[in-house]
Amino acid sequence: MSPQTSKKALDGGWGWVIIVACFMAQFLAYGSPQSVGVLYPEWLHAFQEGKGMTAWVGSLVSGVGLIASPVCSACVDNFGARPVTIFSGVMVAGGLMLSAFAPNVQFLIFSYGIVVGLGCGLVYAATLTITCQYFDKRRGLALGIVTTGTSVGGFLYATAQNELIVLFGLEGCLLIIGALALNLMACAGFMRPLNMPGYYLKQKAALERTKEQLFKKPPADDLKTTPGTGEKNLAVKDHLITIDAKDITTPDNKGGFMSGSAIVKIIKKKRQAYSKYMHSSADFLHDRNFMALCIAIFLFSLGAFPPVLFMEDVAQSEGLIDEVSLIPLVSIVAITTGVGKLTLGMLADMRWINSVFLYAFTLLGTGTALLLIPISKSYVGLQVLSAVVGFFSGNWSLTSYITTKIVGLDKLTQAHGILMFFGGFGIMLGPPVVGWFFDWTQSYDLAFYFSGGSVLLGGVTLFLCALPCWDKKKADIDRPDIQYTSNCDKVASVA
């Protein structure tokens, strides 16, 4: 589309349809993974494995997608949001249906943890990318509405999966949820591309150059053709699609479309691009604020995600409830997370609020609530603490905002991928560690003390590294000593 058309399409029109489609896509993809705590006790009872081993299923389904976020973003950039969403629908639905026939936990780790997790990562990257394409001034609001789909999905799917297990059993529940996930392909139909992805641009440029070479009017002496020329040109046409148009050389005297030196040039150029990308990624880690944010996100993911998975089992282990209630604790966490995303997003837009300190405050609040979970001896207390943890877990809506403040808008995609890698790594490790603590002590108390301490450590680290005194000391070191003799000299120096 032309730049004028793209400009008119921003912040309205078809963009609101994109919001609805992306909201439903995240709702359908993340509904079951966000409420995996309801399935966790059923898997424990069905396979009789340790809590640490079984917890890998829930941790992988959330962690794999985040760890693979750089790859998922590259897929969206090259192929577009619509094809990626269609493919992710097949992955999510197929993984859920395969999980219904799982003979052991190891198979669940592959079918539910890895396959469904990668599908969710592709959906997340596709929905955020196309939403940012259609919105500029209202981008924060649009992203807030879209990402709330995961929370609403977790809230509704927790109750739905609980009822489906009672009616149809665990296998029937997973089959029905998998069939619902196929509607992701219907959501993809509304994702009309505003900007053509890189793969199609390369393909179009290559085909145009090939046509120029094929249909260019030849000299009179070259009008005679030999048998098989058409077939040869078609084969070359297919071959050129996979090569950058700007790197294609014209036919030489020997009849080859690409010489050996041209291929070496392409390989060298690609290698230099990857090397530059890796160096720029390493430069991010030298920034104090960015590195502190990476550590904070890792510790937060390590400690704050296990309650989503283990909260129902905590209530049952303590004898506070015999079975999953009508509104599970997982549902409370999910709906308060959605409220937290919108509320914290609006607070971050206020000029007098420092977004980094706001994020550190959410970590301190989450850590305190996690430390109080072992002390709470009533189901109502667990409900309140679940709501507190869920509300502060809405700080995921602040990560893109803070990353932009630190590295700038141009480097947001690359830096955000690094942050999500740290977050996914923490989510993968958190539930198994908590499960191993239970297997070791036969109690969740030490496990939640570990989780709360990890989150508190992340909040304190980020708060201390974000203090303005660090920048003041650096400015004093870099600034030369200047002696002013009068106020006029000061004013002139400032000017």
Side-chain angles (χ1 to χ4, degrees):
M1 301 180 70
S2 63
Q4 292 81 3
T5 307
S6 300
K7 187 175 181 180
K8 292 180 181 178
L10 290 174
D11 297 302
W14 191 257
W16 299 113
V17 179
I18 295 294
I19 284 184
V20 175
C22 293
F23 175 90
M24 289 303 302
Q26 293 205 9
F27 173 86
L28 293 168
Y30 281 92
S32 182
Q34 287 291 317
S35 58
V36 70
V38 175
L39 302 175
Y40 178 73
E42 301 294 330
W43 287 331
L44 284 175
H45 177 73
F47 301 114
Q48 298 297 319
E49 290 280 357
K51 295 180 185 292
M53 176 62 72
T54 309
W56 275 108
V57 181
S59 62
L60 283 174
V61 74
S62 298
V64 166
L66 293 178
I67 288 179
S69 59
V71 179
C72 296
S73 299
C75 291
V76 176
D77 289 338
N78 282 278
F79 301 105
R82 180 183 288 171
V84 170
T85 306
I86 293 174
F87 181 72
S88 66
V90 177
M91 290 191 67
V92 174
L96 290 170
M97 292 180 180
L98 278 176
S99 301
F101 305 99
N104 48 49
V105 173
Q106 288 76 15
F107 189 89
L108 271 179
I109 289 176
F110 167 74
S111 61
Y112 196 96
I114 297 178
V115 177
V116 177
L118 284 176
C120 291
L122 290 171
V123 170
Y124 191 78
T127 51
L128 293 188
T129 300
I130 196 167
T131 302
C132 291
Q133 288 179 1
Y134 271 86
F135 285 87
D136 184 17
K137 296 180 180 179
R138 302 176 182 176
R139 185 174 295 168
L141 175 63
L143 290 174
I145 296 173
V146 169
T147 53
T148 307
T150 61
S151 304
V152 177
F155 173 75
L156 296 180
Y157 267 66
T159 304
Q161 288 184 148
N162 184 31
E163 294 298 323
L164 289 173
I165 290 173
V166 174
L167 294 175
F168 305 103
L170 181 60
E171 294 80 6
C173 170
L174 291 172
L175 287 174
I176 293 173
I177 296 299
L180 288 176
L182 288 172
N183 289 289
L184 279 167
M185 291 185 281
C187 297
F190 296 96
M191 297 181 184
R192 187 172 64 193
L194 186 61
N195 301 317
M196 296 302 294
Y199 173 77
Y200 294 105
L201 293 177
K202 291 180 181 180
Q203 183 181 18
K204 182 180 178 182
L207 288 175
E208 288 179 352
R209 178 169 292 222
T210 307
K211 288 180 180 178
E212 290 178 0
Q213 295 173 356
L214 293 177
F215 297 104
K216 185 178 179 180
K217 187 175 181 180
D221 297 337
D222 296 335
L223 289 177
K224 295 181 180 181
T225 60
T226 58
T229 304
E231 290 80 358
K232 182 179 179 180
N233 286 337
L234 288 176
V236 172
K237 182 178 178 180
D238 294 336
H239 177 67
L240 288 174
I241 293 176
T242 62
I243 303 171
D244 261 336
K246 60 183 179 181
D247 295 326
I248 298 176
T249 59
T250 56
D252 55 19
N253 295 330
K254 297 181 180 180
F257 269 78
M258 294 192 65
S259 62
S261 60
I263 297 177
V264 172
K265 182 180 178 182
I266 295 173
I267 296 175
K268 188 179 296 185
K269 186 178 295 185
K270 295 294 184 182
R271 184 168 58 86
Q272 291 175 353
Y274 289 127
S275 177
K276 184 179 180 181
Y277 180 85
M278 296 302 296
H279 282 297
S280 60
S281 299
D283 291 339
F284 289 139
L285 301 179
H286 288 89
D287 186 276
R288 185 189 71 255
N289 292 325
F290 184 79
M291 194 62 200
L293 184 60
C294 290
I295 296 173
I297 287 180
F298 170 75
L299 293 174
F300 172 75
S301 303
L302 181 68
F305 182 73
V308 179
L309 185 61
F310 290 100
M311 197 65 75
E312 293 295 338
D313 195 52
V314 169
Q316 295 181 20
S317 300
E318 297 292 335
L320 303 179
I321 188 173
D322 295 332
E323 58 184 11
V324 179
S325 62
L326 182 61
I327 302 179
L329 296 174
V330 179
S331 296
I332 296 175
V333 173
I335 196 64
T336 51
T337 300
V339 176
K341 287 178 180 178
L342 294 176
T343 305
L344 294 173
M346 290 186 292
L347 289 175
D349 286 334
M350 297 182 179
R351 295 182 178 180
W352 54 275
I353 291 182
N354 188 309
S355 57
V356 178
F357 289 152
L358 178 63
Y359 188 86
F361 174 76
T362 61
L363 266 62
L364 296 176
T366 304
T368 304
L370 290 174
L371 292 176
L372 294 176
I373 287 179
I375 303 175
S376 177
K377 299 300 179 181
S378 66
Y379 193 73
V380 176
L382 286 181
Q383 289 177 322
V384 174
L385 292 175
S386 298
V388 174
V389 171
F391 179 82
F392 287 128
S393 296
N395 59 12
W396 285 102
S397 62
L398 299 177
T399 54
S400 299
Y401 189 92
I402 298 173
T403 308
T404 306
K405 292 286 185 181
I406 295 176
V407 303
L409 185 60
D410 295 337
K411 302 178 181 179
L412 172 62
T413 303
Q414 187 177 356
H416 193 264
I418 298 174
L419 285 176
M420 292 301 101
F421 175 83
F422 279 89
F425 191 60
I427 287 177
M428 271 182 44
L429 292 180
V433 170
V434 171
W436 290 329
F437 271 118
F438 183 89
D439 294 337
W440 178 39
T441 62
Q442 294 301 310
S443 173
Y444 280 110
D445 293 351
L446 185 60
F448 277 92
Y449 288 141
F450 168 79
S451 298
S454 299
V455 178
L456 282 177
L457 179 61
V460 172
T461 301
L462 181 61
F463 179 81
L464 293 178
C465 291
L467 290 175
C469 60
W470 296 97
D471 297 328
K472 184 178 180 181
K473 291 180 180 179
K474 183 179 179 181
D476 292 338
I477 294 174
D478 296 338
R479 185 179 57 191
D481 294 332
I482 301 175
Q483 295 181 354
Y484 300 105
T485 57
S486 66
N487 291 333
C488 294
D489 293 334
K490 292 182 180 181
V491 174
S493 175
V494 172

